Amino acid sequence: MATIGPSGLHPGERASVCPHEGVPRPSGSLELECLQQFKVTRTQLQQIQASLLCSMEQALKGQDSPAPSVRMLPTYVRSTPHGTEQGDFLVLELGATGASLRVLWVTLTGTKECRVEPRSREFVIPQEVILGAGQQLFDFAARCLSEFLDAYPVENQGLKLGFNFSFPCHQTGLDRSTLISWTKGFRCSGVEGQDVVQLLRDAIQRQGTYRIDVVAMVNDTVGTMMGCELGTRPCEVGLIVDTGTNACYMEEARHVAALDEDRGRTCVSIEWGSFYDEDALGPVLTTFDSALDRESLTPGAQRFEKMIGGLYLGELVRLVLVHLTQHGVLFDGCASPALLSQGCILLDHVAEMEDTATGTARVHTILQDLGLSPRASDAELVQYVCVAVCTRAAQLCAAALAAVLSRLQHSREQQTLQVAVATGGRVFERHPRFLRILKETVTLLAPNCDVSFIPSVDGGGRGVAMVTAVAARLAAHRRILEETLAPFQLTLEQLTVVQAQMREAMIRGLQGEASSLRMLPTYVRATPDGSERGDFLALDLGGTNFRVLLVRVAEGSVQIINQVYSIPECRAQGSGQKLFDHIVDCIVDFQKRQGLSGQSLPLGFTFSFPCKQLGLDQGILLNWTKGFNASGCEGQDVVYLLREAIRRRQAVELNVVAIVNDTVGTMMSCGYDDPRCEMGLIVGTGTNACYMEELRNVASVPGDSGLMCINMEWGAFGDDGSLGTLSTRFDTSVDQASINPGKQRFEKMISGMYLGEIVRHILLHLTNLGVLFRGQKTQCLQARDIFKTKFLSEIESDSLALRQVRAILEDLGLTLTSDDALMVLEVCQAVSRRAAQLCGAGVAAVVEKIRENRGLQELTVSVGVDGTLYKLHPHFSKLVSATVRKLAPQCTVTFLQSEDGSGKGAALVTAVACRLTQMAHV
């Protein structure tokens, strides 16, 4: 047996608690030996902490062997209160206060300032009901409900009831719960293994007086956590030390094997009263614990609870007093019949006798009421016995709580856990010292946990009502979220329509008819065949930085050397002549650095601005974008402007062979490695596509044989209103606030420049409805472009702990809950999924066009892809591919990520053009 006492540690160890002030240490050898059994060392507490944590994790995983001694039961409570819950709720509390039943009417106002005190009434449960048939107990409860409601003028219209049932249960839903075993002296027959919610519903129906809807079944521990006042940190642990003891906490749902869910959190009831591990608890069990267990209604069960729970502390004290009396240490060896009677010393007696503020006078009174004649030394020793028993109980409770905190810290992956623990039960209410010892010991055992303890406000009443209210709030918010995101959930039929509309727009554009797709010929007539060789220059101009590249194409390899140059704002917005002079200066500088001065290499010019090509080396700038506004360029051939700048820079020879769109460059870059690559796709800041079309189908270019790469400019698809049925109110808001309202409608539903804005408008909408961020409007969400599209990629790449969601939103100044983080994730997923599916519908239209052009039953084709959204988003590429498979089942499509489409691709366009020229000369 252990040698344990109220100081908590052996001599030489730093005490976690001090001996009870004002109580002299017993001096006799027998009383010392007796009370030292209640002393627990720090090492023993740590062993209990580790053992309980191990048992918790086994139970969470659903492991049967070795059988865990705690149950870790999901309660299906998925959120803690926001503070906005309101409404009237009926509460039935059974088992929380021993042999009584309580009915409450709780009004939640949604504000701290306007609190309404609950109405309640307590009913004593007759002993014959506690030990009788189960139906008798539930009929008694139904009669109490009716009697309570009869006293108040309430409307009989589907009253919402939360059922606080404080016994070990197996819940399979918020309103479905099977009793595992009775505790706390209850032994009603025919209830264990039955759904207690259904038994209550049946009894209410038999009573037939009121229409009562049992919404939630809640144990007292969960009610304690939910009834906690909102503070600066989340209250995610509930701790009860009353007649019995238990704890609950908010666990990550993915860790609860019984739920088979991977998102969000759920409250788990540990049921730690049943904890027992011979190696951990055996050394701290005393002879008195063993005697108490043998005399209990459940020998061998609830061993941990019998060392902590208020139902047993008085009995442990009594057994020690009897032992000391029988050995002549107390009361001159004379034990009264009352002292020998089980249950004569109650929790309240222990609390009063332990309280040194009143001295030993109250101890004398209680002992005299038991028929004893205590001396002054007897009263002091009895007081010390109470201290020893209760100190050990607090320390054991702290070890168990430290296990829970360790579990929370590990599952949240936090260096320091900040959490509030809601406390409830008469032991806390009657024993202020119990909480002090608990706090000190928790600090010792869980040093990386910053814990605040908050007394629960009527967990059995208000807390249970809060569970019911939270369930109603979650259900309402879920409906609003689903209604909001429903337009983003595209069906296969809708995607098929988009595919057909794009196919029709492609045909009209190729034929020169009115169409939202411009279908511009690029004069690229072939893809690489692998025979291309030589050194080529490439110029990549698409923003304030541009690149000059030397691309060496050899057998089986492409080597690239590049240099980045900046374009000052004065050049980008000055005269066109000075802009192109600056570009040529940079090319000359690059040639000198690479030892190419005097050489006339073929040059490919990637010019990523809207152009109308008239030939491979002719491109008319339609309009500047991306902050450029150089004069004298719009409406001009940019290749001519570049050649004129070369001419002005005398003694420089450059052979400009091709002007290249970045989408075409992407296709050509991938085409060098895969000859089947006949489509290019960009999904980044913007979006576009190109593909190899039969020349006979291109009305604007003469000729009937061969191929022509078509720049679709598909970002403008739908500008004719064809996408109107898919456009949401959020798309409209984004479009109207853009620099080109009514233009690029397809791009605004797909590309990176706009997805973050769509998400921001949805988050604003949900916040205004009170669904997100507790309805608190923040200035940051009002700011345009504050929610970057890269956030979607980061959020959807997040681990299931949603740390990245929290970090992003908190950086934006938003205070969020776990529920908020999950909903933001769902919003991001809906927006990006729709974008990927629309993109997939477009790709399906193109590859089906290629297949039908060639009269093939089956087509195998590759698509070269570039763009940050496609490359960095964790799911976008898979969703595009899956959509294409569904919409174009006769096409086997491989997606290839491009490497430097703007540079390498431009050089390869040039290389193919040179190859075709040489072949023509031959």
Side-chain angles (χ1 to χ4, degrees):
M1 289 295 174
T3 55
I4 40 184
S7 67
L9 305 172
H10 285 306
E13 292 189 271
R14 185 167 66 87
S16 61
V17 295
C18 299
H20 198 13
E21 298 84 352
V23 181
R25 185 177 295 277
S27 55
S29 60
L30 181 62
E31 53 262 46
L32 276 174
E33 179 185 348
C34 177
L35 292 180
Q36 275 194 339
Q37 292 187 59
F38 288 90
K39 185 176 181 182
V40 188
T41 68
R42 178 176 178 177
T43 301
Q44 288 170 329
L45 291 172
Q46 289 171 332
Q47 189 173 0
I48 292 168
Q49 175 186 359
S51 177
L52 179 58
L53 178 59
C54 180
S55 189
M56 288 169 61
E57 291 174 345
Q58 287 176 2
L60 284 172
K61 294 174 184 175
Q63 294 178 351
D64 296 325
S65 180
S69 58
V70 295
R71 294 191 175 97
M72 304 301 287
L73 305 174
T75 66
Y76 297 86
V77 172
R78 302 183 185 276
S79 177
T80 51
H82 282 180
T84 59
E85 292 78 10
Q86 53 188 308
D88 294 318
F89 302 93
L90 194 60
V91 174
L92 173 62
E93 186 179 80
L94 177 59
T97 54
S100 64
L101 175 153
R102 192 165 65 129
V103 181
L104 303 94
W105 181 271
V106 180
T107 299
L108 301 176
T109 63
T111 62
K112 290 182 180 179
E113 293 75 20
C114 184
R115 168 167 289 180
V116 177
E117 287 300 315
R119 304 193 297 258
S120 68
R121 181 178 172 186
E122 193 162 338
F123 299 84
V124 176
I125 306 174
Q127 190 68 15
E128 63 270 19
V129 173
I130 290 175
L131 302 176
Q135 181 172 320
Q136 187 179 3
L137 173 66
F138 287 95
D139 283 343
F140 177 79
R143 286 197 303 274
C144 293
L145 283 170
S146 293
E147 190 174 328
F148 173 84
L149 292 171
D150 287 343
Y152 299 102
V154 296
E155 294 184 10
N156 188 12
Q157 294 181 355
L159 302 169
K160 304 294 183 185
L161 181 139
F163 186 18
N164 177 5
F165 190 72
S166 302
F167 301 93
C169 285
H170 174 60
Q171 277 193 260
T172 54
L174 192 60
D175 62 346
R176 297 188 304 276
S177 189
T178 301
L179 175 64
I180 295 172
S181 60
W182 285 116
T183 56
K184 307 176 187 179
F186 280 72
R187 295 177 66 182
C188 298
S189 62
V191 181
E192 291 180 354
Q194 300 297 311
D195 181 356
V196 293
V197 175
Q198 192 57 49
L199 293 175
L200 177 60
R201 284 173 174 154
D202 293 343
I204 291 171
Q205 191 171 6
R206 283 194 296 272
Q207 186 71 20
T209 312
Y210 290 92
R211 290 172 51 215
I212 299 173
D213 179 18
V214 185
V215 173
M217 209 290 287
V218 188
N219 73 25
D220 54 346
T221 319
V222 178
T224 294
M225 181 185 77
M226 298 294 279
C228 178
E229 286 283 7
L230 286 174
T232 56
R233 58 184 61 180
C235 182
E236 297 187 292
V237 181
L239 171 60
I240 286 279
V241 188
D242 196 90
T243 310
T245 182
N246 191 20
C248 68
Y249 72 101
M250 296 301 292
E251 175 63 83
E252 303 297 322
R254 69 184 186 280
H255 294 150
V256 185
L259 291 181
D260 193 26
E261 295 179 11
D262 62 2
R263 289 184 186 161
R265 293 174 180 167
T266 191
C267 181
V268 171
S269 177
I270 302 170
E271 300 297 332
W272 72 17
S274 62
F275 170 64
Y276 186 77
D277 173 28
E278 182 61 37
D279 293 335
L281 272 189
V284 301
L285 283 171
T286 69
T287 54
F288 309 108
D289 294 304
S290 300
L292 182 149
D293 180 56
R294 287 194 302 272
E295 296 170 6
S296 70
L297 291 172
T298 55
Q302 299 297 107
R303 298 301 300 272
F304 194 60
E305 181 170 271
K306 289 170 183 173
M307 303 168 80
I308 296 175
L311 184 64
Y312 305 101
L313 295 183
E315 185 61 12
L316 280 173
V317 168
R318 186 189 73 83
L319 290 171
V320 175
L321 299 188
V322 168
H323 175 77
L324 293 174
T325 302
Q326 289 173 343
H327 286 79
V329 177
L330 282 174
F331 316 128
D332 295 323
C334 297
S336 65
L339 182 63
L340 297 174
S341 301
Q342 187 177 3
C344 68
I345 298 180
L346 305 176
L347 173 64
D348 288 348
H349 295 146
V350 176
E352 292 171 5
M353 290 191 291
E354 189 185 356
D355 185 3
T356 56
T358 58
T360 58
R362 185 60 184 145
V363 182
H364 277 276
T365 301
I366 292 171
L367 295 176
Q368 288 168 353
D369 289 344
L370 294 174
L372 299 166
S373 301
R375 295 171 301 185
S377 59
D378 291 338
E380 290 173 350
L381 181 54
V382 168
Q383 200 167 46
Y384 199 81
V385 169
C386 293
V387 169
V389 170
C390 292
T391 297
R392 185 192 68 163
Q395 291 175 320
L396 293 177
C397 186
L401 180 58
V404 176
L405 297 173
S406 299
R407 172 66 201 166
L408 267 176
Q409 185 182 10
H410 173 72
S411 64
R412 306 282 167 86
E413 301 177 19
Q414 294 177 352
Q415 289 284 337
T416 301
L417 176 72
Q418 291 190 325
V419 70
V421 176
T423 59
R426 286 186 300 148
V427 172
F428 285 112
E429 294 167 4
R430 298 302 310 275
H431 288 257
R433 188 172 162 277
F434 187 96
L435 180 59
R436 179 169 63 82
I437 297 170
L438 177 76
K439 287 180 179 179
E440 292 173 356
T441 311
V442 165
T443 301
L444 191 71
L445 299 176
N448 294 324
C449 298
D450 182 4
V451 187
S452 58
F453 292 85
I454 304 175
S456 180
V457 182
D458 189 14
R462 186 174 181 272
V464 175
M466 190 63 77
V467 171
T468 311
V470 166
R473 169 176 59 78
L474 289 178
H477 288 182
R478 170 55 52 184
R479 284 193 299 273
I480 294 171
L481 180 65
E482 289 177 353
E483 289 169 2
T484 301
L485 298 183
F488 291 88
Q489 316 296 333
L490 302 183
T491 65
L492 187 59
E493 290 73 21
Q494 288 175 306
L495 292 170
T496 302
V497 169
V498 173
Q499 178 187 10
Q501 288 174 332
M502 181 166 282
R503 175 68 181 279
E504 292 169 9
M506 290 169 66
I507 293 170
R508 289 197 302 271
L510 288 170
Q511 293 173 350
E513 299 174 2
S515 172
S516 60
L517 292 178
R518 299 169 76 175
M519 305 300 286
L520 303 173
T522 66
Y523 297 89
V524 172
R525 299 174 182 270
T527 54
D529 65 2
S531 68
E532 292 78 12
R533 301 287 185 273
D535 292 350
F536 304 90
L537 285 177
L539 178 62
D540 177 16
L541 177 62
T544 53
N545 290 326
F546 77 104
R547 295 183 303 154
V548 183
L549 306 94
L550 171 62
V551 181
R552 291 193 160 122
V553 183
E555 184 175 357
S557 70
V558 176
Q559 293 182 330
I560 300 175
I561 300 170
N562 76 88
Q563 179 76 40
V564 177
Y565 296 89
S566 64
I567 297 182
E569 186 177 350
C570 62
R571 294 287 182 262
Q573 298 186 3
S575 73
Q577 180 173 316
K578 289 185 177 180
L579 171 63
F580 280 91
D581 285 346
H582 175 72
I583 291 170
V584 172
D585 288 343
C586 294
I587 297 172
V588 171
D589 176 76
F590 180 79
Q591 286 182 309
K592 288 179 180 178
R593 290 171 182 263
Q594 302 303 323
L596 301 173
S597 297
Q599 296 185 38
S600 178
L601 298 180
L603 183 145
F605 185 12
T606 296
F607 189 73
S608 301
F609 298 91
C611 280
K612 179 180 180 181
Q613 278 193 255
L614 303 177
L616 186 61
D617 61 350
Q618 288 179 281
I620 307 301
L621 174 63
L622 300 177
N623 58 277
W624 284 116
T625 58
K626 307 176 187 179
F628 279 70
N629 194 27
S631 62
C633 298
E634 292 181 354
Q636 300 298 311
D637 177 2
V638 292
V639 175
Y640 173 78
L641 295 177
L642 179 62
R643 285 173 173 158
E644 283 296 295
I646 294 169
R647 184 183 58 77
R648 286 192 295 274
R649 181 73 180 256
Q650 297 176 359
V652 174
E653 294 186 26
L654 291 172
N655 178 20
V656 185
V657 173
I659 181 170
V660 183
N661 170 280
D662 55 352
T663 316
V664 178
T666 295
M667 179 186 74
M668 298 295 276
S669 173
C670 293
Y672 183 77
D673 299 314
D674 182 354
R676 297 175 303 181
C677 183
E678 296 189 79
M679 180 177 177
L681 173 64
I682 298 281
V683 192
T685 306
T687 183
N688 193 16
C690 69
Y691 73 103
M692 299 304 291
E693 177 60 84
E694 302 296 321
L695 185 58
R696 67 179 183 272
N697 295 331
V698 186
S700 60
V701 180
D704 292 325
S705 63
L707 301 172
M708 171 66 72
C709 180
I710 296 297
N711 171 19
M712 297 176 66
E713 292 294 339
W714 81 359
F717 174 58
D719 287 359
D720 57 0
S722 56
L723 291 176
T725 58
L726 300 184
S727 182
T728 69
R729 57 187 292 184
F730 312 109
D731 295 304
T732 302
S733 297
V734 170
D735 177 56
Q736 289 174 348
S738 70
I739 60 173
N740 54 349
K743 306 289 187 182
Q744 301 294 104
R745 298 306 300 269
F746 195 56
E747 182 169 84
K748 289 172 182 173
M749 300 171 83
I750 290 179
S751 74
M753 182 174 283
Y754 304 100
L755 297 191
E757 268 298 277
I758 295 173
V759 169
R760 183 181 71 86
H761 280 279
I762 297 173
L763 300 186
L764 268 176
H765 171 71
L766 293 173
T767 303
N768 291 336
L769 293 176
V771 174
L772 278 177
F773 315 126
R774 299 177 184 173
Q776 297 172 358
K777 299 176 184 177
T778 57
Q779 196 61 39
C780 72
L781 271 184
Q782 307 289 335
R784 184 178 167 190
D785 295 326
I786 192 71
F787 199 94
K788 309 296 184 186
T789 295
K790 70 173 184 176
F791 293 165
L792 276 75
S793 297
E794 292 170 0
I795 285 171
E796 293 188 60
S797 299
D798 197 9
S799 72
L800 295 170
L802 298 173
R803 292 185 307 278
Q804 191 67 20
V805 184
R806 288 182 171 276
I808 289 170
L809 296 177
E810 286 170 357
D811 284 347
L812 295 178
L814 296 166
T815 302
L816 72 157
T817 65
S818 176
D819 301 324
D820 292 333
L822 276 172
M823 282 191 276
V824 170
L825 172 61
E826 285 192 54
V827 170
C828 292
Q829 288 174 329
V831 171
S832 61
R833 184 191 305 113
R834 184 190 67 164
Q837 289 176 325
L838 288 173
C839 186
V843 173
V846 173
V847 296
E848 274 293 294
K849 177 84 165 64
I850 295 173
R851 184 185 68 80
E852 292 181 16
N853 281 347
R854 299 176 188 177
L856 298 174
Q857 196 68 26
E858 303 280 342
L859 172 69
T860 299
V861 68
S862 297
V863 179
V865 194
D866 204 351
T868 53
L869 179 59
Y870 185 92
K871 288 184 173 180
L872 299 182
H873 191 281
H875 311 301
F876 196 95
S877 61
K878 298 184 186 72
L879 288 166
V880 171
S881 182
T883 305
V884 173
R885 283 196 300 273
K886 288 179 181 177
L887 297 177
Q890 293 171 275
C891 299
T892 301
V893 183
T894 301
F895 290 86
L896 307 171
Q897 289 198 21
S898 170
E899 295 179 11
D900 195 6
S902 299
K904 176 182 172 184
L908 286 168
V909 169
T910 306
V912 169
C914 292
R915 171 172 62 83
L916 294 178
T917 301
Q918 290 171 357
M919 289 174 61
H921 289 161
V922 171

